[in-house]
């Protein structure tokens, strides 16, 4: 009966076959035709837009992106199943944000997550969070004008940061004609230095979600004077806010990010989208809750001796760690065997637990690299 509906029939037909042929596509796995049928017409259309990326890309692991900050709560019967399955938490569990290291297990005496205690040299450390503004549609549903308006709004906030002695720096815009517009060569340099995101236009998952539409309008990044505090504008989330530094003390990037986030959040008119159940709202359900990814670039030549990340990934998975390449997700590992390591968990975990999980994970991975453990 659902498939005969002229408005949605084609998408539903595809969905039904994906359900059978692609069991790893979580959107299709948890799409309930009875639930869909009970929705109003406009809700039906909205849910299919949320699911479009996974309908058009059968091999999706997740398969859906929220389009409005309220989507996780208004489509809760759908999203709560997808989220529980992906994040391996019981359905209905409420996310709580907590940056306090007090009481988190696995911190060395003195409270310092110091990689030199593990015998490691200074490494490139980075902590980022995804954030979205409560008063704009999420990137997948933004019009070109929304994207430009959001960039304008953020430039007002950046002017405040630039005036502060601990931040300074400047904004770099990809929007043609913008007063802070940078050349293509400058953009490529920022990407190479890990300060700016890659062109997302050729990512089929983001494209079919509408997230990369209107590229490069409304896209850019703020970089502090010391290049250690960065805010991306217009990638998969409205904002990706991060701290980076080469060093051994993980607390430095973690604490600086928390302090900077408090400053950004206190700027009048900037309100981050948050769900009472799911924590900070992100476009992709994989990032929900903390929106946090804490990573280091770590050299593991033995685990990558075959030139691939295969063995490193197999060792890291049971440790709760993800392995990425030197340019981030879906990029190759370094020629010297350097990889990007980060705890995989984002949801129903404290921010403080993520940074401690990175420290503990690096310790265990180093032992495995050295043939111990
Ligand atoms: P995200 O971390 O926002 O999910 P990516 O995995 O695509 O996105 O990474 C974005 C950029 O951040 C890439 O240039 C990547 O190399 C860089 N990056 C990630 N972790 C580190 C790190 N520890 N040190 C330096 N650059 C990093
Ligand atoms: C998928 O479903 O496989 C893609 N939409 C990507 C999911 C991973 N999420 C992400 O990179 N933020």
């Amino acid at each position: 009966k659902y498939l005969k509906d002229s408005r949605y029939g084609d998408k539903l037909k595809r969905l039904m076959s994906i359900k059978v042929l692609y069991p790893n596509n979580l959107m299709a796995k948890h799409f309930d035709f009875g639930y869909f049928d009970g929705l109003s017409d406009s809700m039906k259309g909205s849910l299919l837009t949320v699911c479009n990326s996974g309908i058009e890309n059968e091999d999706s692991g997740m398969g859906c992106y929220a389009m409005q900050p309220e989507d996780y709560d208004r489509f809760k019967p759908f999203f709560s199943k997808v989220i529980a399955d992906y994040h391996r938490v019981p359905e209905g569990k409420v996310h709580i944000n907590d940056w306090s290291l007090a009481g988190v297990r696995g911190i060395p005496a003195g409270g310092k997550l110091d990689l030199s205690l593990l015998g490691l040299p200074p490494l490139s450390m980075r902590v980022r969070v995804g954030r979205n503004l409560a008063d704009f549609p999420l990137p997948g549903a933004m019009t070109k004008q929304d994207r430009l308006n959001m960039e304008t709004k953020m430039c007002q906030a950046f002017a405040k940061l630039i005036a502060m002695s601990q931040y300074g720096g400047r904004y770099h815009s990809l929007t043609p004609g913008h007063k802070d517009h940078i050349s293509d060569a400058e953009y490529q340099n920022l990407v190479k230095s890990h300060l700016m995101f890659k062109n997302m236009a050729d990512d089929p998952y983001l494209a079919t979600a509408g997230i990369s539409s209107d590229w490069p309008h409304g896209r850019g990044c703020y970089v502090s004077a010391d290049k250690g505090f960065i805010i991306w504008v217009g990638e998969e989330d409205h904002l990706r806010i991060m701290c980076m530094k080469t060093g051994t003390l993980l607390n430095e990037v973690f604490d600086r990010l928390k302090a900077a986030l408090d400053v950004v959040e206190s700027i009048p008119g900037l309100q981050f989208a948050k769900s009472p159940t799911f924590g900070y709202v992100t476009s992709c359900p994989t990032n929900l809750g903390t929106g946090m990814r804490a990573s280091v670039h770590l050299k593991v030549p033995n685990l990558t001796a075959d030139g691939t990340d295969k063995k490193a990934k197999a060792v890291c998975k049971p440790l709760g760690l993800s392995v990425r390449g030197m340019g981030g997700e879906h990029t190759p590992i370094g020629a010297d065997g350097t990889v990007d390591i980060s705890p995989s968990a984002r949801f129903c975990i404290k921010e403080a637990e993520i940074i401690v999980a990175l420290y503990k994970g690096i310790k265990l991975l180093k032992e495995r690299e050295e043939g111990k453990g």
Side-chain angles (χ1 to χ4, degrees), residues 283-357:
S283 277
C284 185
T286 59
N287 278 314
L288 207 57
T290 57
M292 176 177 282
R293 190 169 89 85
S295 60
V296 292
H297 281 167
L298 183 70
K299 204 165 142 180
V300 283
N302 295 331
L303 292 174
T304 54
D306 64 354
T308 77
D309 60 10
K310 254 199 178 136
K311 190 162 179 201
K313 277 191 166 158
V315 169
C316 280
K317 198 163 183 216
L319 302 178
L321 298 173
S322 301
V323 179
R324 292 186 180 186
M326 287 305 286
E329 204 171 20
H330 308 137
T331 62
I333 64 170
D336 63 351
T338 303
V339 292
D340 168 330
I341 299 293
S342 59
S344 312
R346 313 257 190 278
F347 180 66
C348 281
I349 179 168
K350 296 173 181 178
E351 283 82 355
E353 289 169 339
I354 292 179
I355 197 74
V356 176

Side-chain angles (χ1 to χ4, degrees), residues 110 216 235:
E235 205 226 16

Side-chain angles (χ1 to χ4, degrees), residues 53 60-63 65 205 236 284 286-287 329:
S53 183
S60 292
M62 173 50 74
Y65 291 93
Y205 304 95
E236 186 182 297
C284 185
T286 59
N287 278 314
E329 204 171 20

Side-chain angles (χ1 to χ4, degrees), residues 1 6 43 50 56 97 113 115-116 119 159 171 181 218 251 263 269 278 286 309 311 325 346 370:
K1 108 178 184 213
S6 61
M43 291 273 278
V50 161
E56 296 302 322
N97 295 90
L113 300 165
L115 300 172
S116 72
Y171 181 65
H181 184 259
N251 307 64
V263 171
F278 301 112
T286 59
D309 60 10
K311 190 162 179 201
R346 313 257 190 278
E370 290 166 356

Side-chain angles (χ1 to χ4, degrees), residues 245-266:
K245 181 175 181 169
T246 297
T248 60
L249 196 54
L250 292 174
N251 307 64
E252 285 183 329
V253 269
F254 184 76
D255 294 345
R256 188 176 193 202
L257 180 59
K258 175 68 174 100
L261 275 171
D262 288 345
V263 171
V264 174
E265 251 186 302
S266 71

